[in-house]
């Protein structure tokens, strides 16, 4: 069974930082590019794509809303992907998911998510 498990979310003040982790199992992790997406209450069930990392980690891409603040990395030896969140804003408050097989709307595999709340 393919599985993704996110962790590392929490409550942080504006301007603060968090590091999210995504542990994978059940598939050949190093063969696949991965995505981070988020879901906010204001957008209902819509998933917002925020970052991409290639299977070997050499290529990355970010949504304009997070570019320059978030950094995606992966450790293929540990089957784990990370998202470093810096200079957090209240608008970053969301449930964050790691995602395999993104088709523009949904993921082939998505974890249970980790909540990030940015508030003073």
């Amino acid at each position: 069974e393919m599985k993704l498990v996110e962790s590392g979310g929490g409550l942080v003040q504006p301007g603060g930082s968090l590091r999210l982790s995504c542990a994978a199992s059940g598939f050949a992790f190093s063969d696949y590019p991965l995505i981070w997406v988020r879901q906010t209450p204001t957008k209902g069930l819509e998933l917002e794509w925020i970052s991409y990392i290639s299977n070997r980690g050499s290529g990355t891409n970010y949504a304009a809303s997070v570019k320059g603040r978030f950094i995606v990395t992966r450790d293929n030896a540990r089957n784990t992907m990370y998202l470093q969140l810096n200079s957090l804003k209240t608008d970053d408050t969301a449930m964050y998911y790691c995602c395999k097989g993104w088709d523009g709307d949904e993921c082939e595999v998505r974890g249970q998510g980790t909540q990030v709340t940015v508030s003073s």
Side-chain angles (χ1 to χ4, degrees), residues 12-52:
V12 63
Q13 292 186 341
S17 297
L18 282 173
R19 189 193 196 203
L20 308 184
S21 298
C22 169
S25 60
F27 63 97
F29 183 78
S30 61
D31 285 353
Y32 294 92
L34 295 171
I35 301 291
W36 283 98
V37 297
R38 66 186 180 186
Q39 191 175 53
T40 61
T42 56
K43 294 185 178 180
L45 297 178
E46 179 184 345
L47 294 174
E48 176 191 6
W49 170 86
I50 56 171
S51 71
Y52 159 93

Side-chain angles (χ1 to χ4, degrees), residues 11 16-17 32 42 58 63 68 82 93 115:
L11 173 63
S17 297
Y32 294 92
T42 56
S58 56
Y82 305 96
T93 294
Q115 178 68 39

Side-chain angles (χ1 to χ4, degrees), residues 27-85:
F27 63 97
F29 183 78
S30 61
D31 285 353
Y32 294 92
L34 295 171
I35 301 291
W36 283 98
V37 297
R38 66 186 180 186
Q39 191 175 53
T40 61
T42 56
K43 294 185 178 180
L45 297 178
E46 179 184 345
L47 294 174
E48 176 191 6
W49 170 86
I50 56 171
S51 71
Y52 159 93
I53 187 164
S54 63
N55 64 314
R56 296 186 181 274
S58 56
T60 59
N61 199 9
Y62 301 91
S65 57
V66 307
K67 194 169 186 178
R69 300 188 298 121
F70 291 9
I71 302 170
V72 60
T73 57
R74 65 191 293 165
D75 183 345
N76 284 349
R78 297 177 182 272
N79 285 2
T80 303
M81 177 176 64
Y82 305 96
L83 187 67
Q84 178 70 37
L85 287 63

